[in-house]
Amino acid sequence: QVQLVESGGGLVQAGGSLRLSCAASGRTFSSGGMGWFRQAPGKEREFAAGISWYFGTTWYADSVKGRFIISRDNAKNTVYLQMNSLTPEDTAVYYCAASNSVSYRSRYFLSSVYSNWGQGTQVTVSS
């Protein structure tokens, strides 16, 4: 079982930056990847960014492309989400998730491909 703990959320003004961290402990995967999802009030959870474990290939939702950067530190079993140029529309609870699916590269944007989820961290962007 993999345990995921997010940190780094908070309140920031529009145009500012935050970096989220997701530390993984327990069983680790050699396939699949890690993803960041977010859920705004009254909306469904949506994919934001993903990264493969082995090659470090990254994917982004159009809404965050060019502003967010996902990265990983395999030695620390930690995944990061650097969020820049934040807007009030980025306000949400952000969740990290882990997948060991061999088809991760074609399904990274689906919440169903992830088997483990963190508890979430709140990000609030004020205007």
Side-chain angles (χ1 to χ4, degrees):
Q1 188 71 9
V2 176
Q3 291 78 42
L4 304 174
V5 178
E6 302 105 333
S7 61
L11 174 64
V12 65
Q13 288 187 333
S17 298
L18 280 176
R19 189 176 82 154
L20 305 183
S21 300
C22 176
S25 61
R27 179 174 174 263
T28 56
F29 301 140
S30 57
S31 61
M34 293 281 288
W36 285 97
F37 285 72
R38 65 185 186 179
Q39 186 167 20
K43 295 187 177 181
E44 294 187 354
R45 189 175 300 187
E46 64 175 9
F47 169 79
I51 186 167
S52 65
W53 283 120
Y54 191 76
F55 290 107
T57 306
T58 59
W59 300 272
Y60 298 94
D62 288 343
S63 57
V64 307
K65 195 174 298 181
R67 300 187 298 122
F68 290 12
I69 301 171
I70 187 172
S71 61
R72 75 195 194 303
D73 185 331
N74 287 359
K76 295 182 178 180
N77 287 332
T78 300
V79 174
Y80 305 97
L81 185 67
Q82 178 66 44
M83 305 185 295
N84 302 317
S85 302
L86 287 162
T87 73
E89 288 67 39
D90 295 313
T91 295
V93 177
Y94 283 72
Y95 299 89
C96 72
S99 169
N100 66 340
S101 172
V102 295
S103 59
Y104 179 76
R105 290 176 63 86
S106 61
R107 302 174 62 202
Y108 58 86
F109 53 94
L110 298 173
S111 59
S112 59
V113 80
Y114 298 88
S115 54
N116 301 89
W117 292 80
Q119 81 286 355
T121 185
Q122 177 70 46
V123 171
T124 302
V125 184
S126 64
S127 58

